[in-house]
Amino acid sequence: MAAPGWLTSSPIAHRGLHGDGAEAPENTMPAFARALEADVPFEFDVQLSRDGVPVVLHDADFSRMAVNGSGPVRELDWARIGELRIGAAEERVPRLDDVLELVNGRVPVVVDVRRWGFDRSSALERAVTERLRGYPDAAVVQSFDPVAVGRFRRLVPDRAVGQASGSLPSAGPVKALLGRMMLTNAVMRPDYLAYELAALPDPFVTFWRTARRPVIAYTAHSPEEADRASRLADGYFFSGFVPGTRA
């Protein structure tokens, strides 16, 4: 499926339209509400709780974000996750259902599916697919895991699916090199690439990039980085400022 035009025509707020202050922490409902108010597309992260609830958080565990607890997401039930609070504003951890109900197609969204560690189960991909069934068209999915990309290509053939990659420093030198090469693209056939801005330009990205497979750079943190992303990629994610302003 061709990547939708909004991926390249409009900058995308990374983890919602959040700030460095106490209000609207990343990947929370206030950050998503701010994106809606500004009419800005946004990206957010999804992973499974121990009891199979797709929850919105980037990290594998809550140690960085939660102010009243910690622990790996995949080892906690939703009941416990629902008790945790994020940031100084003590926001609740959203579920994928909460985000989709809030947005309901009013702005485009990118669902980044986080698969931390090795897991043969397709439960995460199937849970996300179930929630996207019947959702308005303006939603795409992406993942760093090529297995997830391949699964989504089968499960949601009516939506664009992206392969995310970059320098991958936590993967180790061999896995990082293989990840940057994205050799699995030949089989998984992603509709677009999401690639680390700091790692661009990259010869593997140049090889896989086509007129029908755009590259979306992540993440521009300033107008200067946005200019660089515009030169090196077809679109970009942003954070910490609003494109078109100096804020």
Side-chain angles (χ1 to χ4, degrees), residues 5 13 31 49 51 76 87 89 92 106-107 124 129 137 155 159 174 176 179 189 206 222-223 227 229 236-237:
S49 66
D51 52 346
L76 301 176
R92 295 178 181 273
R106 287 188 286 168
V107 300
L124 174 55
T129 297
D137 291 341
L155 292 168
R159 297 187 186 277
V174 176
R189 299 179 294 112
T206 300
S222 68
D227 290 342
Y236 63 91
F237 299 95

Side-chain angles (χ1 to χ4, degrees), residues 28-84:
T28 62
M29 297 300 279
F32 305 146
R34 287 178 62 182
L36 283 174
E37 292 170 4
D39 196 29
V40 171
F42 65 89
E43 174 265 3
F44 61 98
D45 303 284
V46 174
Q47 53 189 304
L48 277 189
S49 66
R50 183 169 62 179
D51 52 346
V53 177
V55 299
V56 178
L57 191 81
H58 171 271
D59 300 357
D61 62 70
F62 284 97
S63 59
R64 179 175 69 94
M65 295 298 297
V67 298
N68 63 333
S70 61
V73 177
R74 64 184 179 184
E75 295 181 8
L76 301 176
D77 289 338
W78 168 245
R80 172 56 180 147
I81 292 173
E83 297 172 347
L84 298 176

Side-chain angles (χ1 to χ4, degrees), residues 4-184:
W6 57 263
L7 273 175
T8 57
S9 65
S10 179
I12 301 164
H14 192 235
R15 304 178 194 171
L17 197 57
H18 61 90
D20 295 330
E23 296 183 358
E26 67 177 58
N27 274 330
T28 62
M29 297 300 279
F32 305 146
R34 287 178 62 182
L36 283 174
E37 292 170 4
D39 196 29
V40 171
F42 65 89
E43 174 265 3
F44 61 98
D45 303 284
V46 174
Q47 53 189 304
L48 277 189
S49 66
R50 183 169 62 179
D51 52 346
V53 177
V55 299
V56 178
L57 191 81
H58 171 271
D59 300 357
D61 62 70
F62 284 97
S63 59
R64 179 175 69 94
M65 295 298 297
V67 298
N68 63 333
S70 61
V73 177
R74 64 184 179 184
E75 295 181 8
L76 301 176
D77 289 338
W78 168 245
R80 172 56 180 147
I81 292 173
E83 297 172 347
L84 298 176
R85 295 296 179 266
I86 302 299
E90 298 192 0
E91 295 293 338
R92 295 178 181 273
V93 179
R95 302 170 302 166
L96 174 58
D97 306 72
D98 300 323
V99 182
L100 297 181
E101 181 179 358
L102 173 71
V103 180
N104 195 28
R106 287 188 286 168
V107 300
V109 294
V110 177
V111 183
D112 191 316
V113 177
R114 311 296 300 188
R115 288 173 55 87
W116 295 102
F118 180 73
D119 185 359
R120 293 179 181 272
S121 171
S122 62
L124 174 55
E125 292 89 339
R126 294 187 181 280
V128 172
T129 297
E130 179 183 346
R131 271 73 176 181
L132 289 177
R133 189 174 293 118
Y135 186 79
D137 291 341
V140 301
V141 293
Q142 67 181 39
S143 181
F144 282 84
D145 187 341
V147 173
V149 171
R151 285 173 175 165
F152 278 120
R153 289 280 289 157
R154 296 188 299 272
L155 292 168
V156 287
D158 58 335
R159 297 187 186 277
V161 180
Q163 175 67 62
S165 190
S167 59
L168 308 175
S170 63
V174 176
K175 285 186 177 180
L177 176 60
L178 292 173
R180 292 196 302 272
M181 293 172 69
M182 297 181 286
L183 298 178
T184 55

